Amino acid sequence: MAMTALLRLQEVDLALEKVARELDELAEALRDPPILAELAQNIARVESEIHRLEVRQRDLELEVEGLTERIQDLEGRLYGGLITNVKEIEAGQQKAEEMRRRRSHLEDELLEIMVTLENLREDDKSLRRRLQEEQARWQDTRARLLEKQASLKDEQASLEVRRKRLAASVGDSVLRTYESLRAAKGGIAVSRLENRVCSACGVEVPRSVERAVRYEETLTYCPTCGRILVDT
Ligand SMILES: [Zn+2]
């Protein structure tokens, strides 16, 4: 039996493990970066605040308009000679004064809201710009990762084909031994014998073992680490 087929099978298995690890890493790397969700959240927060303030601004504007009309109306009556009673005039003037104070208070608030809104709209713009940049960057990265993923999957598929061929060539019983050793020995079931030394554990084997590896048809194991020895 060609022991080198067993060695090649092990090489293919190790390559398959490496590809699987890389595919796992890629799957992890292909998740959307948290910054995108963070930025989208910030934008939503800023925009809902803008909306709230715009509603408040409209309410205030309406109230200011209403007060202005009422003040004009009242003053028209006060100074148009319609009201002649001194007490009524004084009360009317006081009322007009109260409304002016209220209006000026509302106008202060309006001004404050307009300044805040201006800042928030700037924030919104810069957050949106930032999100666009991050998205563009992520698109590039993602495209590169997907390309790499596709080529790894191709590699994986061709390794699987080679594995099937090699597995068939070593036969079921040897394959079972190989599989159980591979599981028990950290993925390395087969070891090259180089100058009578097991390359996996580094221990020299007796000459009888060397002869068996070279000339016998059955599997020969390293007396130290228990791996299948292959002559090279
Ligand atoms: Zn060994």
Side-chain angles (χ1 to χ4, degrees), residues 22-205:
E22 286 174 357
L23 281 171
D24 280 353
E25 282 166 18
L26 272 177
E28 189 64 33
L30 274 164
R31 290 182 194 204
D32 280 353
I35 183 75
L36 295 182
E38 251 170 62
L39 284 169
Q41 230 171 21
N42 284 345
I43 289 168
R45 195 172 42 74
V46 166
E47 288 182 355
S48 105
E49 180 64 3
I50 287 174
H51 177 72
R52 189 185 70 80
L53 288 175
E54 280 171 346
V55 169
R56 178 72 185 142
Q57 182 184 20
R58 270 193 302 278
D59 288 350
L60 287 170
E61 280 165 353
L62 283 177
E63 201 178 339
V64 166
E65 263 173 49
L67 279 169
T68 302
E69 271 172 32
R70 283 169 61 202
I71 292 166
Q72 274 169 356
D73 180 56
L74 180 59
E75 286 180 341
R77 279 187 289 130
L78 280 176
Y79 306 119
L82 289 172
I83 302 170
T84 47
N85 181 303
V86 177
K87 270 201 177 136
E88 267 181 57
I89 289 174
E90 275 175 4
Q93 279 169 340
Q94 204 179 337
K95 179 75 189 155
E97 193 47 43
E98 268 169 32
M99 286 197 288
R100 278 182 199 284
R101 267 203 303 274
R102 167 88 184 132
R103 186 176 64 178
S104 137
H105 177 76
L106 295 179
E107 279 166 346
D108 286 349
E109 193 186 335
L110 254 176
L111 202 64
E112 224 172 273
I113 283 175
M114 280 153 79
V115 171
T116 308
L117 270 173
E118 206 176 308
N119 291 334
L120 285 172
R121 284 180 189 128
E122 278 304 310
D123 289 352
D124 191 39
K125 237 193 283 179
S126 79
L127 279 168
R128 286 190 165 277
R129 211 165 31 230
R130 175 94 197 282
L131 180 61
Q132 248 170 11
E133 285 165 7
E134 293 290 348
Q135 274 168 339
R137 209 198 317 262
W138 174 231
Q139 284 311 313
D140 287 351
T141 308
R142 193 164 178 279
R144 238 181 331 101
L145 292 175
L146 286 173
E147 227 170 85
K148 173 107 177 115
Q149 192 181 47
S151 90
L152 277 172
K153 281 183 175 165
D154 285 350
E155 192 184 337
Q156 192 177 43
S158 75
L159 283 168
E160 302 279 13
V161 170
R162 278 181 61 197
R163 191 191 196 277
K164 226 172 244 169
R165 245 194 344 251
L166 287 165
S169 82
V170 301
D172 282 352
S173 112
V174 171
L175 190 64
R176 272 197 298 278
T177 307
Y178 163 80
E179 293 287 15
S180 64
L181 261 179
R182 193 159 81 96
K185 304 280 180 190
I188 308 286
V190 186
S191 172
R192 291 168 187 272
L193 191 62
E194 284 165 349
N195 301 319
R196 214 146 57 81
V197 172
C198 167
S199 63
C201 68
V203 176
E204 199 179 52
V205 305

